Structures are given as C-alpha cells and as structure tokens.
Amino acid sequence: MGPYDGRDRAWFHSQFMSLSVRKTGMEWQAFVNDLMHAVHPGEFMAVDPTGRGDKGCDGWVGGLMLACYGATSPNQGRVARKVNDDFHTALRYWGDHMERWAFVHNNAGGLPEMAARAVLDLRRRHQGSIRIEVWPPQVLWNHCAFLARDRLAEIVGSPPSDHPAGMTYIARCVESLARTRLQPGLDPVREVAFGKIEHNGFGPEVADLIKHHQTHTGHVRYYFAFASPGEQAQVSENLLTRFAGLRAVLPTSDAVFHALCDDLVAEAFAGGGCPDPAQRRSAALMVVTHFFERCEIFESPVEGRRAASF
C-alpha cells in the first residue's frame, strides 16, 4: 500500500475513533495490544490473564504499564474503583518494573468526575516516583498515527479506494443486505432532506466521506435499475433494522455510520472472492451512502420525519 494522503489520514482517524467507542471489555484491551505491538514490535509485552491472572498488567513496554478499560456506559464509582484497583495491584506485583502507569480508556469525552479525582489523588501521592498518565482515544491515536499505512490498515481496516467500486463488489454488498425477506406493508422510501448531514452532527471527516461517495451512488442506482422487483425496498428495510440496533448502543452518528460499513464489509466478503480491500470498503460506503440519500437511516431535519436521538 502506498503513502498516506489527506483523505486516507482523515478516514483512518475517523475509523479509529469509531472503533474506540465500539470496542469494550476484552475487545478494547486486544485492540490496544494490537496497536502497541505494531508501535513497539518485539518490545511490547502483553500478559495473558488466564491462569494466575495478569496482576494488574494489561501490557508493558520500557517501564510503561498499561491498564485498559473499555466501558459501554461508564459509571462514576466503578471507573474510580477501577483506576485505584488497577494501579495498586500493578504497584504491588510489578512496582520494580513500573516507571509510568497509563489508564487507557475508550471515552473520547473524558473521564467521569470521580475517576478524574482518583487519578489526581494518585498523582499527588506518587509524585516523583511514578508518572501517572491518562490515555483517552485521542492520546492512543497520537501514539500510533505514524504507523505505516498497510500496518494501520491491518488493525483498523482498509480505507476506501479513490475510485468507484466495481459492480461485483456492489452486488456482494447488496446481496448480503437482501438475505432477510422483505416484510409486507412497508412505507415507500423517500428522498433525503437538505441539510441532513449537518442535522445529524457528523464530524468533518465523516461528512467529507459521505459527500465524496455521494458522487458515486449513481453506480448503486444503476445496479438497482436492473435488480429484481422489490430488491431495493427489501435491502432498505434490512439496513434500517441494522441502523436502529446500532443507534441504540452507539453514542455518535460517526460511530453508527462506520459500524454499518464495517458490518457490511465483514458479511459481504466473508467468503472471499473479491480480493481488493479498498474496493470492498468503497462498495460498502457507496451502498450505505445511497440509502442515506434515499431512505430514513439517520435523522431528517424535515418536520414530521422519523427522528434519531444523538
């Protein structure tokens, strides 16, 4: 894979932030470990928690001890206890090897107040002996953003191609969405309203991604022009169902948009047969953007339309 360009870097950053929200528990820890292995090959050490446990060490490199915490909906008291318990457990078992300790969490909005106070108390008590750090997703991104394009793509996924995906790739995405049979009595699909991107609060990176792929959705419309009767409505309904499920558990429009595309890439190309990962990503983006334009995924600013709550 070639060097970064501006659109690639914007996609990688946006996808990375979206994955940070979506990965919780052990998935978050594995995600952090994968990135640290890539940044510090041969030096970073993850500790297997099975058996006797990791004794407070989720990962270690060069005197830096990591404590990973990926929460779906952080609770103040629980996060504060997690900060204290993880630090003191690591200090007890790994203190001789711990010069820095970092609490690596997945909330880009920051720590709850009680947890922030717990970190400040630890810093005051251990000032001059151990450097105590907090790594939200923004800091973790800064730590790994310089990775080679192909290595970063292995962890967060391949960015889309600059060119429209071929019909084979589009067809695979549509067929994946069309596997569930259409329910009778559906409302007709309506045109997207002006200002929908702004109304949903997309970040600038995802807004640019949608606008870029809007220029290619004619390829998806061309596909449906020759598709079997009712296929577009069937796919639309199934995508709406997926959207509703993701909207219920994810906090931002950006995260939902990326999750829809990721799920489509994973399902449509699980069996192989379409080798170009950039074309796969482009096809998924084109199909999701097509239905963003044509149906009610995401909130419309027009009065009386179905509303989402972000």
Side-chain angles (χ1 to χ4, degrees), residues 45-67:
M45 179 177 64
V47 179
D48 188 347
T50 60
R52 297 181 61 199
D54 59 24
K55 300 298 189 290
C57 176
D58 291 336
W60 180 93
V61 61
L64 169 65
M65 189 77 62
L66 300 184

Side-chain angles (χ1 to χ4, degrees), residues 238-251:
N238 291 333
L239 192 61
L240 277 167
T241 301
R242 292 164 184 252
F243 166 75
L246 291 168
R247 187 183 67 180
V249 297
L250 297 176

Side-chain angles (χ1 to χ4, degrees), residues 33-265:
N33 283 347
D34 285 346
L35 289 165
M36 295 298 288
H37 279 301
V39 173
H40 305 282
E43 298 178 24
F44 178 73
M45 179 177 64
V47 179
D48 188 347
T50 60
R52 297 181 61 199
D54 59 24
K55 300 298 189 290
C57 176
D58 291 336
W60 180 93
V61 61
L64 169 65
M65 189 77 62
L66 300 184
C68 299
Y69 183 63
T72 305
S73 53
N75 171 276
Q76 289 232 28
R78 187 177 301 119
V79 182
R81 287 192 298 273
K82 177 72 172 171
V83 169
N84 278 301
D85 291 349
D86 280 8
F87 176 81
H88 287 108
T89 301
L91 183 63
R92 185 163 62 253
Y93 286 96
W94 303 93
D96 291 343
H97 307 281
M98 191 167 72
E99 300 167 10
R100 300 161 58 202
W101 180 85
F103 189 69
V104 189
H105 66 90
N106 69 333
N107 187 351
L111 288 174
E113 180 267 340
M114 288 178 64
R117 287 183 179 274
V119 170
L120 293 176
D121 287 343
L122 289 177
R123 285 178 175 172
R124 177 177 50 81
R125 276 183 269 150
H126 297 275
Q127 187 175 12
S129 58
I130 297 172
R131 179 176 170 179
I132 296 170
E133 304 175 13
V134 176
W135 287 20
Q138 297 94 324
V139 173
L140 185 62
W141 168 253
N142 290 339
H143 197 69
C144 66
F146 66 89
L147 284 170
R149 186 180 189 272
D150 56 347
R151 190 70 183 93
L152 193 54
E154 290 175 7
I155 301 171
V156 305
S158 174
S161 168
D162 284 336
H163 306 288
M167 282 298 164
T168 299
Y169 292 85
I170 293 172
R172 288 281 289 271
C173 288
V174 172
E175 289 164 4
S176 174
L177 284 169
R179 286 175 187 151
T180 305
R181 298 312 306 166
L182 181 65
Q183 298 176 0
L186 300 176
D187 294 332
V189 175
R190 290 173 284 192
E191 290 284 352
V192 66
F194 177 78
K196 188 174 180 181
I197 291 176
E198 295 77 11
H199 187 76
N200 281 277
F202 287 108
E205 294 157 333
V206 175
D208 181 69
L209 198 64
I210 293 172
K211 291 172 184 176
H212 177 73
H213 282 81
Q214 281 178 321
T215 63
H216 299 320
T217 54
H219 296 271
V220 183
R221 292 192 294 274
Y222 179 84
Y223 172 88
F224 280 121
F226 296 95
S228 59
E231 185 172 10
Q232 178 166 254
Q234 177 179 325
V235 172
S236 171
E237 177 65 13
N238 291 333
L239 192 61
L240 277 167
T241 301
R242 292 164 184 252
F243 166 75
L246 291 168
R247 187 183 67 180
V249 297
L250 297 176
T252 67
S253 294
D254 285 5
V256 172
F257 186 85
H258 277 294
L260 283 170
C261 294
D262 281 352
D263 289 353
L264 193 48
V265 169

